[in-house]
């Protein structure tokens, strides 16, 4: 009987090892700085949301976050309690190059927390957009999330947050009108009354037939 008990045990141990290895390899990817967008259409104004986790092994807090913007035409930050935001504008070009959030004293993101930083921008007219991020900790350490995807398509150690932009109509192309819902045609009052009478008469006939059938069944029984 021992071979039958040891084999399942070995299989369970192997499965557990694979699961643990998968969790260990997946954890770092989930801790990267990530960006989401409400409307990914090129050339539109939308809100970017940067999800920033704390990753310090020494217990230091994230106290500053700087995001490079692809020279967007306009930008506006959301009010975030405990943090101040500053836009780096290129006055001559009329664009915004970066946005930097700085935490107030005693405020920051611990290794057990994450924070959401939002900025409204006009997206560039391109298929993709990259947003390199510089994350600064209270102990002076700096992590730069600015690496592009590797040639084989895999993810580098510190990938730059990227967006795939799509869904914008061609320039000058009017938006397609939404199909209208056909409205039912109105019927004269007389036609409605006649229909109701016919329906009522049909219901009475069906009821009478049911009663007659029930009486016949009783007599036969």
């Amino acid at each position: 009987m021992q071979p039958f008990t040891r084999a399942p045990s070995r299989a369970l141990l192997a499965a557990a090892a694979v699961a643990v290895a998968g969790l260990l390899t997946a954890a770092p990817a989930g801790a990267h700085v990530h960006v989401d967008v409400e409307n990914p259409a090129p050339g539109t104004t939308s809100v970017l949301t940067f999800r920033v986790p704390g990753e310090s092994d020494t217990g230091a807090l994230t106290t500053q976050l700087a995001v490079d913007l692809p020279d967007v035409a306009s930008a506006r930050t959301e009010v975030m309690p405990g943090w101040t935001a500053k836009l780096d504008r290129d006055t001559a070009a009329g664009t915004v190059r970066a946005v930097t959030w700085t935490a107030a004293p005693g405020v920051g993101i611990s290794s057990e927390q994450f924070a959401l930083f939002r900025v409204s921008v006009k997206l560039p007219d391109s298929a993709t957009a990259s947003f390199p991020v510089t994350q600064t900790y209270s102990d002076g350490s700096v992590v730069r999330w600015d690496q592009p995807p590797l040639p084989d398509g895999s993810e580098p150690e510190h990938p730059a947050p990227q967006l795939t932009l799509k869904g914008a109509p061609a320039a000058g192309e009017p938006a397609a009108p939404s199909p209208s819902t056909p409205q039912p045609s109105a019927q004269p009052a007389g036609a409605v009354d006649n229909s109701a009478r016919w329906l009522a008469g049909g219901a009475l006939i069906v009821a009478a037939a049911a009663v007659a059938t029930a009486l016949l069944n009783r007599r036969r029984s």
Side-chain angles (χ1 to χ4, degrees):
M1 298 295 292
Q2 289 181 349
F4 295 97
T5 57
R6 289 179 180 177
S9 299
R10 292 176 181 175
L12 290 175
L13 289 174
V18 172
V20 170
L23 290 175
L24 292 177
T25 55
H32 293 165
V33 176
H34 184 72
V35 62
D36 288 312
V37 63
E38 291 181 349
N39 179 17
T44 61
T45 299
S46 192
V47 176
L48 303 178
T49 300
F50 292 89
R51 185 183 187 276
V52 181
E55 293 186 317
S56 174
D57 295 331
T58 63
L61 303 178
T62 297
T63 55
Q64 190 175 81
L65 187 79
V67 178
D68 292 339
L69 302 175
D71 290 331
V72 297
S74 63
R76 182 174 296 179
T77 59
E78 182 184 44
V79 176
M80 188 172 181
W83 296 75
T84 58
K86 181 181 179 181
L87 296 175
D88 181 12
R89 301 181 183 274
D90 187 341
T91 306
T95 59
V96 182
R97 294 176 292 195
V99 55
T100 301
W101 287 272
T102 303
V107 178
I109 309 169
S110 72
S111 57
E112 298 178 350
Q113 297 175 324
F114 70 90
L116 301 178
F117 297 82
R118 295 185 177 91
V119 56
S120 174
V121 302
K122 185 175 181 181
L123 297 174
D125 292 318
S126 58
T128 60
S130 180
F131 303 88
V133 172
T134 301
Q135 186 176 8
T136 304
Y137 289 87
S138 57
D139 61 358
S141 59
V142 176
V143 178
R144 290 181 173 85
W145 304 92
D146 57 359
Q147 297 175 346
L150 298 177
D152 60 357
S154 60
E155 190 176 65
E157 184 179 0
H158 295 97
Q162 291 189 341
L163 289 176
T164 299
L165 307 182
K166 57 184 178 180
E173 181 180 348
S178 58
S180 57
T181 303
Q183 299 295 329
S185 58
Q187 295 182 354
V192 175
D193 292 341
N194 290 335
S195 298
R197 290 173 183 173
W198 280 108
L199 290 175
L204 290 175
I205 294 173
V206 172
V211 172
T213 302
L215 291 175
L216 290 174
N217 291 336
R218 286 185 180 181
R219 290 178 180 179
R220 291 175 180 175
S221 60

